[in-house]
Amino acid sequence: MVLLDPFSHRTAYKIYVDLLRAAVAVAITLSLLVSIDRIYKVLTYLKIRAKTWITGRRPEHSFAARSLPDPVQFSSAYPRVAVQLPMFNEKAVCQAIIDSACEMAWPRERFCVQVLDDSTCKATRALVDDKVLEWKERGVNVECIRRTNRQGYKAGALKEGLDLLVDYDFVAIFDADFKPEPDFLTQTVPYLIDNPEVGYVQTRWVFVNPDESYLTKAQEISLNFHCKCEQFVHFATGSFFNFNGTAGVWRRKTIQTVGGWQSRTTVEDMDLSLRAYINGWKAIYLTDTTCTNELPASFFAYRKQQHRWTCGPVQLWCRCAADIWRSALPLTTKLELLVLYFGLRKFATHWVSLGFFCTLVPLTVFTPEVNIPLWALVHFPVIVTITTAMFTPKGWLHCILYVLFENAMGIVKLWACVAGILDLKQANEWVVTTKLGSSDKRPGTGAAPAVRDCKMYLNEMMMSTFVLTAAFYGIFSVNKWSFSIFLTLQGLVFMAFGFNLVDCGGLLGQRLGKNIDYAAMRSLKKAKSAAL
């Protein structure tokens, strides 16, 4: 018989406690830095808005933007503008964006639309061809460009299309689910005409379907903070803000001089705008000029989108660090980009959500020797949540669910960070975010109502089991009610994610609006069952 040494067990447990205490200290520090960064941005936003209210001058007023002359009498004074519409198998929205682009107010002889259609779906290609032919017959210079392969994905399509636009000065870009207003170009292009140092103009996103489900509402809260606060503050303070990939206009010369579209990461938009910033080009963010688009209502599509949006910046961080350091930017700007913009906001923040709140907090429930101060667990996170939700009308009503959803997405985002750092195969996966055409009511284009599929996610199920076990242990064994309430809610959301119950048809994905067509959803389910 082998006797176990009790001292070795105590020593091992002590080492475990010391390691957990150190990990908690690191996590609290990162969480504090992330919180301070967000709160500082909100305070800066309020300061800028107060100054605007007092002086009447918005940040974009620092740049000239003269009104354009009458397009009929002085059409030759207008620069040549092209609109690029990259798309791939987006049947539900492909015709609506072609309509929106072709309806833009600009002299017809100084304007063209490029439909960069990489679709492999015959039905989608037919819809695109029909719409292109319709607008050609109405006198619009519109053409459909199709490649024999998807090399470089969106960046490759944009690059190939740009090579054909030799006579055009500016290029507007819209993803297929966006719907710009007819005056979009007259609101944005003058900033490029009158400011030769400006490389691109980005407009703010607004959403057509935020009330479709709790999943879309959580996305709206997150993206409203990014669009209304983060991008606005970075522009107003002269810091780097990235092109969002759509709903903006580029100077063709800028794209060419900084190396063109590249597909070395899954965030070709951030890559191009970062190279423009490093090379001295300025950019303008127009928060009062908006462009509507659709939030992904499918949980699967949302996961793919978040993986790409998280992995891409980490990839870019690794690939562009040397270029940033060798650039002529001031030292403080270099450090801001490398440490604050990429290191903290694009990397560390994802470790805080899953690593701290969903892993270390439950572990401390099982380890009474390690304590987490209330300000780190409650006070600062509550302040950050409220200040994030304040940019969405009635966002405070959904801010708790928003936090739980963001934490539950931590598994996807943390894995994306690892894939980006290690440059794994998954880091180069480029999956188009499926949209359902929520705002397009025309026959044959809008997709059927979203129906939850049967796919389950094992990682979320395992995390749910772990978090709920910690919650019950805290209630019945150590009486940590403050921890257990949060952990119970978080564990249930992980479970909903694991069972894929957050689509429109799922338990936590129920529609917030009152116009849901349940009969249509039931009919579609029956049709799918019959087909199987």
Side-chain angles (χ1 to χ4, degrees):
M1 179 181 293
V2 178
L3 297 177
L4 297 177
D5 182 2
F7 290 100
S8 64
H9 283 73
R10 287 200 292 268
T11 301
Y13 184 72
K14 184 179 183 303
I15 293 174
Y16 161 72
V17 170
D18 290 341
L19 289 175
L20 180 59
R21 189 175 286 121
V24 168
V26 172
I28 289 176
T29 301
L30 287 178
S31 178
L32 184 61
L33 290 174
V34 171
S35 300
I36 291 175
D37 179 54
R38 285 219 163 193
I39 293 170
Y40 174 76
K41 275 202 284 281
V42 172
L43 293 176
T44 304
Y45 169 86
L46 295 175
K47 177 183 175 182
I48 296 169
R49 283 302 191 187
K51 183 179 179 181
T52 299
W53 183 75
I54 294 171
T55 64
R57 284 184 57 83
R58 296 193 294 269
E60 61 267 28
H61 288 167
S62 300
F63 298 88
R66 292 171 295 177
S67 298
L68 293 166
D70 180 80
V72 177
Q73 297 183 16
F74 303 99
S75 62
S76 60
Y78 282 67
R80 299 175 67 86
V81 177
V83 177
Q84 290 186 312
L85 309 177
M87 58 181 68
F88 176 74
N89 290 347
E90 295 175 89
K91 177 183 176 183
V93 293
C94 63
Q95 289 197 327
I97 181 56
I98 296 174
D99 284 337
S100 296
C102 292
E103 290 169 354
M104 284 185 170
W106 205 259
R108 298 293 92 176
E109 66 274 16
R110 316 287 291 178
F111 173 79
C112 82
V113 176
Q114 270 190 348
V115 183
L116 306 173
D117 183 26
D118 281 351
S119 298
T120 55
C121 168
K122 291 183 179 180
T124 304
R125 291 164 70 104
L127 288 171
V128 170
D129 289 340
D130 289 346
K131 186 56 65 175
V132 168
L133 179 60
E134 174 190 331
W135 281 102
K136 274 187 175 181
E137 292 174 347
R138 296 168 65 175
V140 176
N141 181 10
V142 54
E143 62 177 335
C144 179
I145 298 173
R146 291 196 173 101
R147 303 187 295 165
T148 56
N149 59 69
R150 290 191 69 207
Q151 184 176 356
Y153 302 107
K154 181 180 175 180
L158 291 170
K159 181 179 184 300
E160 186 164 319
L162 189 67
D163 290 341
L164 302 175
L165 299 174
V166 293
D167 295 327
Y168 288 83
D169 306 297
F170 307 114
V171 181
I173 300 170
F174 300 96
D175 285 346
D177 59 300
F178 278 70
K179 289 187 176 180
E181 295 296 326
D183 66 347
F184 183 90
L185 294 178
T186 59
Q187 294 290 323
T188 54
V189 173
Y191 286 97
L192 293 166
I193 297 173
D194 293 337
N195 303 280
E197 75 280 11
V198 173
Y200 63 91
V201 176
Q202 174 69 59
T203 64
R204 179 167 61 86
W205 297 0
V206 293
F207 313 101
V208 298
N209 62 328
D211 295 330
E212 189 167 350
S213 69
Y214 288 118
L215 178 64
T216 56
K217 178 56 70 174
Q219 294 175 62
E220 183 197 26
I221 292 174
S222 176
L223 288 172
N224 273 347
F225 176 81
H226 172 70
C227 295
K228 291 184 178 181
C229 179
E230 196 169 35
Q231 293 283 76
F232 174 76
V233 168
H234 289 171
F235 161 59
T237 57
S239 300
F240 167 70
F241 74 90
N242 65 285
F243 175 60
N244 287 137
T246 176
V249 187
W250 276 87
R251 187 185 303 275
R252 187 173 181 275
K253 179 182 176 181
T254 303
I255 301 176
Q256 292 178 316
T257 57
V258 301
W261 292 103
Q262 296 183 9
S263 56
R264 57 178 178 172
T265 72
T266 56
V267 283
E268 72 294 323
D269 45 7
M270 183 181 291
D271 187 352
L272 180 62
S273 50
L274 179 63
R275 283 183 277 123
Y277 181 75
I278 291 174
N279 283 276
W281 289 95
K282 295 183 179 180
I284 295 176
Y285 186 75
L286 299 179
T287 189
D288 293 326
T289 302
T290 60
C291 189
T292 59
N293 72 103
E294 182 182 339
L295 295 163
S298 159
F299 181 48
F300 175 80
Y302 178 58
R303 289 171 67 92
K304 291 297 184 181
Q305 180 198 69
Q306 292 303 300
H307 182 277
R308 189 174 78 247
W309 285 5
T310 304
C311 180
V314 176
Q315 279 184 302
L316 185 59
W317 187 27
C318 298
R319 285 167 166 75
C320 73
D323 294 334
I324 293 174
W325 199 251
R326 289 194 299 264
S327 71
L329 296 172
L331 178 61
T332 53
T333 304
K334 295 177 182 178
L335 294 175
E336 179 189 2
L337 280 172
L338 292 171
V339 179
L340 188 58
Y341 185 85
F342 285 106
L344 185 66
R345 297 170 188 156
K346 306 300 181 184
F347 185 72
T349 184
H350 304 305
W351 292 83
V352 170
S353 295
L354 185 70
F356 180 37
F357 291 107
C358 301
T359 303
L360 294 180
V361 170
L363 286 176
T364 61
V365 173
F366 298 114
T367 315
E369 294 87 348
V370 181
N371 294 311
I372 298 178
L374 195 61
W375 60 264
L377 186 65
V378 178
H379 297 159
F380 264 93
V382 167
I383 293 173
V384 170
T385 301
I386 292 174
T387 53
T388 300
M390 66 180 275
F391 293 93
T392 298
K394 297 183 180 179
W396 60 274
L397 291 173
H398 309 283
C399 62
I400 294 177
L401 196 64
Y402 154 74
V403 170
L404 298 175
F405 272 47
E406 283 288 296
N407 288 343
M409 284 300 297
I411 293 178
V412 174
K413 294 180 179 180
L414 196 56
W415 170 241
C417 284
V418 173
I421 284 289
L422 300 180
D423 199 23
L424 302 179
K425 180 181 178 181
Q426 293 84 350
N428 299 308
E429 184 183 43
W430 216 109
V431 179
V432 172
T433 306
T434 304
K435 303 296 174 65
L436 302 178
S438 300
S439 61
D440 193 356
K441 306 303 181 184
R442 294 170 302 173
T445 57
V451 177
R452 179 174 54 88
D453 58 39
C454 298
K455 184 177 178 62
M456 294 176 59
Y457 299 96
L458 181 60
N459 291 337
E460 280 77 2
M461 291 299 300
M462 293 172 61
M463 184 61 72
S464 172
T465 302
F466 167 63
V467 173
L468 287 176
T469 300
F472 295 148
Y473 183 82
I475 294 174
F476 297 110
S477 299
V478 294
N479 197 29
K480 286 194 174 183
W481 287 92
S482 59
F483 285 50
S484 297
I485 293 173
F486 160 71
L487 292 176
T488 299
L489 294 173
Q490 188 64 70
L492 292 175
V493 171
F494 269 118
M495 182 180 294
F497 274 49
F499 280 117
N500 196 10
L501 298 175
V502 293
D503 278 325
C504 290
L507 180 66
L508 287 181
Q510 296 176 11
R511 299 198 179 204
L512 303 179
K514 298 180 180 180
N515 59 345
I516 180 171
D517 189 348
Y518 291 103
M521 293 181 67
R522 286 194 295 269
S523 299
L524 184 61
K525 288 182 180 179
K526 290 180 181 179
K528 284 193 170 184
S529 300
L532 294 175

